[in-house]
Amino acid sequence: TVGGGEGNAASGIGSSVSGGESNEASGLISSVSGGEYNEASGSESAVNGGYNNAASGSASSVSGGEINAASGIGSSVSGGDGNEASGGRSAVNGGYYNEASGVGSAVNGGYNNTASNYDSTVNAGYNNKASGARSAVNGGYNNAASGSASSVSGGEINAASGIGSSVSGGYNNTAL
């Protein structure tokens, strides 16, 4: 079903496009609510608006923003620009050029942050990486939590590489 707009297509079984321009809902029971050049190709996927967003994972969603992609099963991108949620049940909740690629991983904002392992999280900041399982970086700049269950609370150029290790902040600190 196409509700309105211009140049929209609802080609998937049970799919719909409510409006906007040049949007496509091609997945089974997928939907695009509006915006421009958005695509919902995953089964039961949705794009709510914005520009050039794609929900290709089954049960994935993109709420808005620009050039965002939700490709993991059950993944979501809430907004921002250039974000990608590629891990199963992963989420990017805003910011710019962030990626959540681990299963159950999340990036909650900031710029150029990556959560790449199981249940890893980056909450904010710039160029932070949470690559250990269940690791977290809460903010700052160029911090890395690579150990399992490790964390960096903030600061700059800090690393928590040991299992369960933690750096609270500061500059150029390492917890092995």
Side-chain angles (χ1 to χ4, degrees), residues 54-119:
S56 60
S58 180
S60 65
S61 66
V62 177
S63 297
E66 295 184 11
I67 316 169
N68 295 310
S71 58
I73 295 171
S75 64
S76 67
V77 176
S78 297
D81 188 359
N83 296 310
E84 182 175 2
S86 59
R89 299 182 326 276
S90 65
V92 176
N93 293 315
Y96 300 90
Y97 307 106
N98 296 308
E99 182 178 7
S101 59
V103 173
S105 64
V107 176
N108 293 316
Y111 178 78
N112 200 39
N113 295 309
T114 304
S116 60
N117 207 328
Y118 179 78
D119 284 345

Side-chain angles (χ1 to χ4, degrees), residues 85-166:
S86 59
R89 299 182 326 276
S90 65
V92 176
N93 293 315
Y96 300 90
Y97 307 106
N98 296 308
E99 182 178 7
S101 59
V103 173
S105 64
V107 176
N108 293 316
Y111 178 78
N112 200 39
N113 295 309
T114 304
S116 60
N117 207 328
Y118 179 78
D119 284 345
S120 60
T121 304
V122 176
N123 286 316
Y126 170 70
N127 202 37
N128 294 308
K129 304 202 180 332
S131 60
R134 295 185 175 97
S135 64
V137 176
N138 290 319
Y141 167 73
N142 206 27
N143 295 309
S146 60
S148 180
S150 65
S151 66
V152 176
S153 297
E156 186 174 341
I157 313 173
N158 295 311
S161 58
I163 296 171
S165 62
S166 176

